[in-house]
Amino acid sequence: HKGIHAKGYDDQSIGICYEGGLDEEGKPCDTRTCWQKHSLKVLIKALLMDYPDCRIVGHRDIMEDVAELQDEYCLRECPCFEVSEEF
């Protein structure tokens, strides 16, 4: 069963999700814990072993106008950190 995470990229990508991304007021914010950051790095390193030529990007970096599938937060902010700077 195939998941839906980025219209136009579902057949050629792996979506990684983490819990968080909103502050106490419900505004977009990088709320990852040290362990979440560590686990994400380990997971990406493992995936790079199987897919060495892949591009690592954030959801917002490849999303097109898919308002019917995502709310406004997801289109503009998800994830709430710069993927290209971390990986």
Side-chain angles (χ1 to χ4, degrees):
H1 176 41
K2 175 175 68 168
I4 298 174
H5 63 96
K7 186 176 182 181
Y9 293 88
D10 293 332
D11 291 342
Q12 58 194 5
S13 63
I14 296 172
I16 300 171
C17 298
Y18 72 95
E19 186 70 28
L22 299 176
D23 65 15
E24 300 82 27
E25 298 175 5
K27 295 181 180 172
C29 181
D30 184 0
T31 59
R32 293 174 297 155
T33 66
C34 290
W35 282 110
Q36 283 176 309
K37 291 177 182 183
H38 171 77
S39 297
L40 186 57
K41 287 180 183 180
V42 170
L43 176 58
I44 288 176
K45 284 182 181 182
L47 287 169
L48 284 170
M49 292 172 69
D50 289 333
Y51 306 98
D53 297 325
C54 73
R55 256 186 341 145
I56 302 170
V57 297
H59 189 238
R60 67 177 180 207
D61 301 325
I62 59 172
M63 290 302 294
E64 297 176 9
D65 184 19
V66 292
E68 71 277 4
L69 297 176
Q70 304 292 331
D71 62 22
E72 189 174 322
Y73 155 72
C74 287
L75 288 173
R76 294 181 312 165
E77 304 293 339
C78 179
C80 295
F81 63 94
E82 290 296 327
V83 174
S84 61
E85 291 177 12
E86 289 198 32
F87 304 104

